[in-house]
Amino acid sequence: MSLSTLLSTWRNDPHIASNVAAWRTFPARPARFAPFPDDLHPALTNALRARGIRALYTHQAAAWRHAQAGRHLVVVTGTASGKTLCYNLPVLDRLLRDPQARALYLFPTKALAQDQKDTLSHLITALGDEPAVGGRSSAVSVATYDGDTPAEARPAIRATARLVVSNPDMLHVGVLPHHTLWAAFFRGLQFVVIDEMHAYRGVFGSHVANVLRRLKRIARFYGASPQFVLTSATIANPVELAGRLIEEPVVLVDDDGAARGARHFLIYNPPVVNRDLGLRRSALLESVRLAGDLLEHNLQTIVFARARRTVELLLRYLRRGPSPSALSEREGQIRGYRSGYLPRQRREIERGLREGRVRAVVATNALELGIDIGGMGAAVLTGYPGTIAGTWQQAGRAGRQPTSPLRGQEVSLVVLVTSANPLDQFLARHPDYFFDRSPEQALINPDNLLILLGHLRCAAFELPFRAGESFGRVEGARVAEFLQFLQEVGILHRSGDKYFWMADQYPAEDVSLRSASPEAVMLLAWAGDEWTTIGQVDYASAHWMVHPGAVYLHEGQAYLVEELDLAQSLAGGAQSRADGAQPVARLRATDVDYYTQPRSETTVRLLEKRVETGVRGAIKTHGEIAVTTQVIGFRRVKWFTHEQLGVGEVSLPPTELQTTGYWLSLTEETVARLRDQGLWTNDPNDYGPDWPAQRDRARARDGYRCQSCGAPEKGSALSLPKGSVLSLPKGSVLSLPKGSV
């Protein structure tokens, strides 16, 4: 059975076709080629021909020309368009011609770095044995240097590797602070490749921009000025982002010459199940149904979900298939993929996808990036990913690779299943908004005060600062203010015209590039006679994912959390976190007929208004806020039917995040117009003019306690938390004033 057969079936099935809000077909596009450059090293030309490549795509040839001219460049073309060759060709050509040359490849994740290193190794192997240049070997040695690299292998990599594959985190904490051990590498550093540039946005991108400032500073110290090559998926401002990251002028290569097969893109809005309330069938269950059809037609499929818990629910439902008896045979063919899985599990899943043994994978956006998982016939997106750029990135995972560079790709399918979220429903009603809009911009702010100060500390540890020295585009006068502050607090010491590091601590370890806390909670499962590590969750997520009583889902298996110890070492001894204790959660495999959903309370407190501006119909404000979140309990939800079986309580401390916020406040005129049109439903209930007095008398009568559970008031009148179910004795009548909700 083929994709065309399935599409024909869907078009004629009223239960499917009636829910398709938009069906767009993007035609196939032939490839455009350019001959191999005359100045390309002959060994590379031969290696490419040995792999069946007879010409370059036009964008690959354009990237070669810019690289040979010494320009910094950013390549923005579609998924599976051969961006890798855009940087591999100039880098390998230089390494083959200059035995002293070195190159550094940076990828946003270790998984992607390992994947690309394997691809690079195959190409280097195809080069064969190259003759010596000037009496010295021009052999290209490539190595991965990240947190998984064994300690005993690291000295050899530092000494001999000519092409190092790493990630920004390892560069930040494991390379730059120890640059003296990398002296030969930095002296010969001629290329820095930054792949998947669009991943470096927001706080993470702001940190990475400062890491690159430190990298360029150390390279200058050793007499090097590397050329940068960046690649990205589609974003609105690639040149601006690349320029902010490396603080150099860049040229854009975006005329995609790769072949592309025809693609069907559906926006599917689940059917209404309660017209009076406007309730639709669950996007999760509809995604399971559509993905099941794809699997029955033998189409290798990737299903994207926005949350880790949703991944596990989809995985469990898909494995169950048409009947519970199908569970065992589907288990190896349908896999999950998300953060929290151990690296060996991820590599196994990726290999199974490439080899075709895994027919479906359910993933978070961890598989948005260009990890080689072969060609998926279809992609199902469970809920709008939140950005147009992210949606196209996930959609790009569908589309089989051409068996030959001269052939186009096969027909592929993308289905966006909208949820009940208002933004999803807007897209279902206005699909042109999605299809006709450009992707969002990727923004960073490397000069954020806290981020910049942290990296100045790291830079001062790596090399002394000279008086008046700038840091990237941060002028020397401003840098001097920071250095003076660090001197006053005892971190730096000034001697002559230089500032030297004098503190005991190692600053890079205190600066996390990706989160407020680099700490993780290890997940230990009882395996009969010992505790075995099955994964990990970040510290901030532990409160709602692995609180006591939670059902944690991992690769479709349910585990009941017995204990969450945020100050417990893996050895079992109670130690303080300052003494190196490792937070852990202890779980046991279970076969309960439910999963759990956390119940939390979040309050937002305004600390300071920074900017307030009037706009049409509203007032927009930007300021400092404090967000306090506390998990107070959980719900037990039955598998498949999603009915609520009960609730449980949890006693965990609140977490607080101080950050900046942006919000809109509607003007009274706007509210009045909405009210006149019957579109405003947020007015308080009218219980009569003496309602406040009646309420206070009732509270006093009840001793300011809940008459059901006896809980006392805590500074304010008791109320039902959002999502609570009001239970009345049989035969009771609930009377509410007219207009109440």
Side-chain angles (χ1 to χ4, degrees), residues 42-325:
L44 277 171
T45 302
N46 294 334
L48 293 175
R49 287 183 172 141
R51 301 183 67 186
I53 301 174
R54 297 290 181 263
L56 298 181
Y57 292 133
T58 51
H59 63 274
Q60 294 170 337
W64 168 266
R65 291 193 298 271
H66 288 303
Q68 291 303 101
R71 304 184 183 102
H72 306 289
L73 65 146
V74 55
V75 181
V76 182
T77 56
T79 52
S81 60
K83 287 192 286 288
T84 302
L85 274 185
C86 290
Y87 53 78
N88 277 342
L89 291 184
V91 169
L92 293 177
D93 182 89
R94 186 74 55 82
L95 296 181
L96 288 171
R97 298 180 187 278
D98 182 358
Q100 300 303 316
R102 302 290 187 270
L104 174 66
Y105 284 12
L106 296 176
F107 298 92
T109 65
K110 289 189 289 187
L112 185 57
Q114 187 62 51
D115 178 72
Q116 292 297 322
K117 187 258 184 182
D118 292 342
T119 301
L120 184 61
S121 296
H122 291 317
L123 180 57
I124 291 175
T125 300
L127 292 174
D129 296 327
E130 278 302 299
V133 177
R136 293 166 296 186
S137 173
S138 60
V140 178
S141 55
V142 58
T144 302
Y145 196 88
D146 58 27
D148 296 334
T149 303
E152 61 272 16
R154 296 185 180 190
I157 293 173
R158 292 193 291 261
T160 63
R162 301 187 59 209
L163 199 163
V164 173
V165 179
S166 189
N167 55 66
D169 310 80
M170 192 63 178
L171 178 64
H172 158 62
V173 77
V175 176
L176 298 181
H178 310 289
H179 61 86
T180 54
L181 302 175
W182 294 81
F185 182 85
F186 279 113
R187 275 194 293 269
L189 184 60
Q190 298 194 23
F191 275 101
V192 176
V193 172
I194 303 174
D195 198 21
E196 304 287 358
M197 176 192 71
H198 57 280
Y200 304 122
R201 58 184 184 270
V203 172
F204 181 37
S206 301
H207 276 293
V208 171
N210 279 285
V211 172
L212 295 176
R213 285 170 168 171
R214 291 159 50 200
L215 169 65
K216 292 169 64 178
R217 183 170 181 257
I218 288 175
R220 283 196 302 272
F221 176 77
Y222 288 99
S225 180
Q227 184 177 348
F228 286 86
V229 180
L230 305 96
T231 72
S232 176
T234 303
I235 55 174
N237 60 332
V239 173
E240 177 190 1
L241 177 62
R244 289 285 279 164
L245 283 170
I246 68 172
E247 298 184 321
E248 301 284 354
V250 298
V251 294
L252 175 65
V253 177
D254 64 349
D255 185 15
D256 192 345
R260 184 182 67 192
R263 174 180 294 165
H264 295 268
F265 198 122
L266 280 63
I267 296 181
Y268 181 92
N269 204 16
V272 175
V273 295
N274 188 319
R275 198 162 297 279
D276 292 336
L277 298 177
L279 298 180
R280 293 182 177 272
R281 182 171 161 83
S282 162
L284 185 150
L285 294 178
E286 286 297 279
S287 296
V288 170
R289 180 160 75 111
L290 297 174
D293 285 352
L294 292 165
L295 289 174
E296 287 181 11
H297 282 70
N298 198 32
L299 290 164
Q300 195 176 28
T301 302
I302 181 168
V303 182
F304 281 105
R306 295 194 64 181
R308 289 168 283 190
R309 187 184 300 275
T310 309
V311 165
E312 295 295 342
L313 290 173
L314 286 164
L315 179 61
R316 192 175 181 99
Y317 290 174
L318 280 171
R319 281 181 173 176
R320 182 177 184 268
S323 64
S325 61

Side-chain angles (χ1 to χ4, degrees), residues 352-421:
L353 287 166
R354 288 193 295 269
E355 296 172 357
R357 291 181 286 104
V358 176
R359 302 305 300 160
V361 61
V362 187
T364 58
N365 58 4
L367 274 182
E368 271 187 22
L369 302 179
I371 298 172
D372 182 12
I373 56 174
M376 300 288 103
V380 177
L381 282 55
T382 307
Y384 178 56
T387 64
I388 293 174
T391 304
W392 285 115
Q393 184 72 3
Q394 293 183 6
R397 296 317 309 243
R400 298 185 182 278
Q401 304 289 334
T403 55
S404 164
L406 299 176
R407 289 184 55 196
Q409 295 176 317
E410 298 181 20
V411 178
S412 60
L413 170 68
V414 180
V415 184
L416 169 58
V417 183
T418 56
S419 70
N421 183 289

Side-chain angles (χ1 to χ4, degrees), residues 353-666:
L353 287 166
R354 288 193 295 269
E355 296 172 357
R357 291 181 286 104
V358 176
R359 302 305 300 160
V361 61
V362 187
T364 58
N365 58 4
L367 274 182
E368 271 187 22
L369 302 179
I371 298 172
D372 182 12
I373 56 174
M376 300 288 103
V380 177
L381 282 55
T382 307
Y384 178 56
T387 64
I388 293 174
T391 304
W392 285 115
Q393 184 72 3
Q394 293 183 6
R397 296 317 309 243
R400 298 185 182 278
Q401 304 289 334
T403 55
S404 164
L406 299 176
R407 289 184 55 196
Q409 295 176 317
E410 298 181 20
V411 178
S412 60
L413 170 68
V414 180
V415 184
L416 169 58
V417 183
T418 56
S419 70
N421 183 289
L423 185 55
D424 289 45
Q425 289 302 303
F426 174 83
L427 294 178
R429 288 170 171 78
H430 306 279
D432 289 343
Y433 179 89
F434 168 76
F435 288 112
D436 297 342
R437 298 273 291 195
S438 68
E440 298 81 4
Q441 295 190 5
L443 303 176
I444 61 173
N445 180 17
D447 298 336
N448 174 277
L449 180 62
L450 294 178
I451 293 175
L452 177 60
L453 183 60
H455 287 279
L456 280 171
R457 294 170 66 245
C458 296
F461 175 86
E462 292 154 4
L463 290 171
F465 267 97
R466 301 186 315 274
E469 180 182 351
S470 61
F471 184 62
R473 292 183 181 174
V474 182
E475 296 179 352
R478 190 176 180 212
V479 172
E481 295 177 5
F482 288 114
L483 298 178
Q484 180 65 30
F485 167 76
L486 294 176
Q487 180 185 3
E488 291 172 358
V489 297
I491 292 177
L492 299 183
H493 171 69
R494 180 166 183 171
S495 177
D497 66 342
K498 290 185 177 180
Y499 291 85
F500 295 88
W501 183 263
M502 61 176 292
D504 294 332
Q505 70 266 31
Y506 175 53
E509 289 185 336
D510 295 329
V511 178
S512 171
L513 303 189
R514 299 175 189 261
S515 65
S517 171
E519 198 161 20
V521 177
M522 303 305 297
L523 306 180
L524 306 181
W526 184 249
D529 55 354
E530 62 178 349
W531 294 100
T532 302
T533 302
I534 63 168
Q536 64 182 32
V537 299
D538 59 279
Y539 188 81
S541 300
H543 289 73
W544 63 269
M545 289 191 71
V546 289
H547 58 74
V551 173
Y552 179 78
L553 304 172
H554 186 88
E555 271 274 55
Q557 171 64 53
Y559 293 86
L560 186 64
V561 180
E562 294 185 342
E563 179 187 13
L564 173 61
D565 196 334
L566 298 178
Q568 178 71 35
S569 71
L570 281 172
Q575 303 176 17
S576 69
R577 295 268 288 285
D579 292 335
Q582 172 71 60
V584 298
R586 292 185 171 82
L587 314 86
R588 289 183 189 266
T590 184
D591 195 26
V592 294
D593 62 348
Y594 65 87
Y595 62 95
T596 56
Q597 292 180 334
R599 296 165 50 225
S600 62
E601 292 182 345
T602 300
T603 59
V604 180
R605 181 163 49 93
L606 175 63
L607 301 178
E608 178 189 359
K609 287 184 181 180
R610 288 186 176 178
V611 182
E612 189 171 82
T613 308
V615 294
R616 183 181 177 185
I619 298 173
K620 63 179 183 180
T621 312
H622 177 243
E624 292 279 346
I625 58 174
V627 182
T628 303
T629 303
Q630 183 174 22
V631 176
I632 60 173
F634 58 91
R635 299 182 188 88
R636 300 181 183 92
V637 184
K638 189 175 180 62
W639 290 111
F640 304 104
T641 65
H642 293 186
E643 60 184 299
Q644 293 194 18
L645 303 179
V647 297
E649 294 185 357
V650 174
S651 178
L652 289 173
T655 59
E656 182 169 301
L657 170 67
Q658 185 169 327
T659 183
T660 61
Y662 172 87
W663 62 95
L664 288 171
S665 304
L666 300 181

